[in-house]
Amino acid sequence: MYKATFPGRFKSLAEISEFVSRAINEIGFDETTAYMILVAVDEACTNIIEHAYGGEGQGDIQCSCDVTEDLVKITLRDRGEPFDPTTVPEPDFSVPLQELNCRGAGLVLIQKIMDETNFESTPDGENVLTMIKRK
Amino acid sequence: MYKATFPGRFKSLAEISEFVSRAINEIGFDETTAYMILVAVDEACTNIIEHAYGGEGQGDIQCSCDVTEDLVKITLRDRGEPFDPTTVPEPDFSVPLQELNCRGAGLVLIQKIMDETNFESTPDGENVLTMIKRK
Amino acid sequence: MDISTKQFRRCDLVKAEGRIDSNTAPEVRDAFEAITEDGRFRIVFDMSEVTFISSVGVWVLLETQKTCKRYNRGDLVIANVNEKIQHTLDLAGLLTFFRIYDDVLEAVGSF
Amino acid sequence: MDISTKQFRRCDLVKAEGRIDSNTAPEVRDAFEAITEDGRFRIVFDMSEVTFISSVGVWVLLETQKTCKRYNRGDLVIANVNEKIQHTLDLAGLLTFFRIYDDVLEAVGSF
Ligand SMILES: Nc1ncnc2c1ncn2[C@@H]1O[C@H](COP(=O)(O)OP(=O)(O)O)[C@@H](O)[C@H]1O
Ligand SMILES: Nc1ncnc2c1ncn2[C@@H]1O[C@H](COP(=O)(O)OP(=O)(O)O)[C@@H](O)[C@H]1O
């Protein structure tokens, strides 16, 4: 069980990436899968800073990685705004370039990369995002 | 004393170059000087084939290299037309590109590269070009 | 992050090194804007030394691409995109917005 | 001798490997002529793998240069010329007829 807390700043993203990378190292994902997990984590943490906290320096991100023989479970906790991802419509990128609205790929990537994702806002004001990737 | 005879064909130029390169190797010229000597030899042999013999396959080129501690003397012999290089005017390359007459750099290069060059046509029909390069 | 740019006759080459995430994407945007605000819209982005890109980085590329392609005045093409980054663009559904070249020479030569 | 050519949008790249002497110069000339006879006159000659060039080889370059520059329609530029070859061109008094670039990318980017 790997667990660490990072300040909710964009500078933390590289450190979180390092941290998760070390944690998932032992499970032996192929290079591309390991990389894609880091993309998902980066997207989720960016969203916490940008959307849950509404900006940098408003609170921490707690990250834990549960590694078993054939899967990793990554949990991200923050104390920002609660959020229900099911309310976010899927973006449509199959439009001409000039009509492209340049946002909204983060949740798409998280969902496509991870095998399971679950978002919960607890009564005591904690948001818990759990993401599982199987080998 | 290195000595070898080559058919007067353009294909021989690479072999003559190899031969001279081996001969001058032991005297320890710096890389650029060693290379420039090969340029001079190539120019001289090209002239023998092209001008003395008037084309390929008309006769041989005999090449000998005399290596002493501080100089190499390269002698090229052919049995083509006799020739007096002092009759050849120096070409003028300081003209606009479109007026450039694309020939006549061979003798210029030989003279600038070598320390001494001497051309003799012997009474028995042999042309002997001697070129000396000092260390 | 390390970003270098080089101006050729027909296009500009931008090379970034390292991670392009929310932290560093603004620097990449600045590098592109320095070119487009100068009125040049043909850009080659050399990704050979980019180790990571998040969607925020991809959006910088796409905002630049919009600027470049507007009025048909140019194009942002990418060179040396590794498989992982290519896969990211593909998963996001954004790969089709870029011309991708195997190397910088091909990319510069395409303009 | 090994000669490869590659057509870019604004120029053609020719790369020769080995010795350019009286024996092989005609092959180099053929490679250039294939391009100029096709009506393209912007050429980059990559000399990184050329180990030797005699005056006959230099004349092939200069004949091609004449063709390229006629009517201001193009240029033959050289990339990756080693010191020895540069010295040869210089000694012959023919160096000034060429634009020389440190690498192929710079040369292609110059068109
Ligand atoms: N952790 C979060 N807290 C609150 N809102 C969020 C969170 N994550 C995502 N969102 C909302 O979902 C939208 C889509 O997120 P995403 O796909 O990451 O794209 P982007 O962040 O580029 O808008 C965001 O614009 C935001 O409104
Ligand atoms: N070995 C030779 N035998 C006869 N004529 C020669 C010989 N070498 C040179 N020449 C004459 O001198 C001229 C200049 O020679 P050179 O400088 O090598 O240029 P190029 O061979 O390109 O004309 C030649 O055109 C030729 O007329």
Side-chain angles (χ1 to χ4, degrees), chain A residues 7 15 21 25 38 50 54-55 57-58 64 72 78 91 97 101 129:
Chain A
E15 289 160 44
S21 183
N25 212 3
L38 300 182
E50 220 176 290
Q58 307 298 314
S64 64
V72 61
D78 68 77
L97 173 69
N101 177 9
L129 170 61

Side-chain angles (χ1 to χ4, degrees), chain B residues 109-128:
Chain B
L109 281 170
I110 294 170
Q111 258 139 38
K112 293 209 177 159
I113 291 165
M114 305 309 279
D115 292 315
E116 279 177 42
T117 64
N118 181 59
F119 197 95
E120 255 177 90
S121 297
T122 67
D124 74 330
E126 195 174 48
N127 302 310
V128 185

Side-chain angles (χ1 to χ4, degrees), chain D:
Chain D
M1 90 180 305
D2 257 15
I3 305 177
S4 64
T5 66
K6 177 170 214 149
Q7 187 176 344
F8 291 114
R9 180 127 173 212
R10 302 262 311 165
C11 63
D12 286 68
L13 174 66
V14 177
K15 178 174 183 168
E17 288 176 31
R19 281 175 59 91
I20 306 181
D21 59 17
S22 309
N23 190 42
T24 56
E27 297 171 51
V28 179
R29 191 185 48 226
D30 289 350
F32 286 131
E33 280 184 359
I35 295 166
T36 55
E37 285 174 3
D38 225 40
R40 298 193 306 283
F41 304 101
R42 288 185 295 259
I43 303 177
V44 173
F45 187 41
D46 179 3
M47 293 189 80
S48 55
E49 304 296 328
V50 173
T51 54
F52 179 93
I53 189 166
S54 71
S55 68
V56 172
V58 177
W59 294 132
V60 167
L61 300 189
L62 276 163
E63 287 292 4
T64 306
Q65 181 65 300
K66 277 185 172 184
T67 307
C68 287
K69 286 209 160 168
R70 196 165 292 143
Y71 317 122
N72 257 323
R73 62 193 170 187
D75 198 353
L76 168 69
V77 307
I78 318 181
N80 298 315
V81 192
N82 72 39
E83 261 180 63
K84 293 173 283 190
I85 290 173
Q86 193 140 337
H87 188 54
T88 307
L89 292 171
D90 195 21
L91 265 196
L94 298 166
L95 187 57
T96 52
F97 290 106
F98 300 102
R99 252 160 66 205
I100 291 183
Y101 288 94
D102 281 349
D103 57 51
V104 167
L105 182 60
E106 293 277 350
V108 169
S110 76
F111 283 112

Side-chain angles (χ1 to χ4, degrees), chain B residues 43-53 78 80-85 87-89 91 93 102-110 119 127 129, chain D residues 55-56 59:
Chain B
E43 299 296 342
C45 292
T46 289
N47 281 347
I48 291 172
I49 299 168
E50 220 176 289
H51 303 300
Y53 286 128
D78 68 78
E81 286 293 303
F83 163 61
D84 178 2
T87 63
V88 180
F93 299 147
C102 286
R103 49 182 18 298
L107 293 180
V108 172
L109 281 170
I110 294 170
F119 197 95
N127 302 310
L129 170 62
Chain D
S55 68
V56 172
W59 294 132

Side-chain angles (χ1 to χ4, degrees), chain C residues 7-109:
Chain C
Q7 187 176 344
F8 290 113
R9 181 129 174 212
R10 301 265 309 167
C11 64
D12 286 68
L13 175 64
V14 177
K15 179 173 181 168
E17 288 175 31
R19 281 175 61 90
I20 305 180
D21 58 17
S22 309
N23 190 43
T24 57
E27 298 172 50
V28 179
R29 191 186 48 225
D30 289 348
F32 286 131
E33 279 183 359
I35 295 166
T36 55
E37 284 173 5
D38 225 40
R40 298 193 305 283
F41 304 102
R42 289 184 295 259
I43 302 176
V44 173
F45 187 41
D46 178 3
M47 294 189 80
S48 55
E49 304 296 329
V50 172
T51 54
F52 180 92
I53 189 166
S54 71
S55 69
V56 171
V58 176
W59 293 131
V60 167
L61 299 189
L62 276 163
E63 287 291 4
T64 306
Q65 180 65 300
K66 277 186 172 183
T67 306
C68 288
K69 285 208 161 168
R70 196 165 294 142
Y71 317 122
N72 256 323
R73 60 193 170 186
D75 198 354
L76 168 70
V77 308
I78 317 180
N80 297 315
V81 193
N82 72 39
E83 260 180 64
K84 293 174 283 190
I85 290 174
Q86 193 140 339
H87 189 53
T88 306
L89 291 171
D90 195 22
L91 265 195
L94 297 167
L95 187 58
T96 53
F97 290 105
F98 300 102
R99 254 161 66 204
I100 292 182
Y101 288 93
D102 281 349
D103 57 52
V104 167
L105 183 59
E106 293 277 351
V108 169

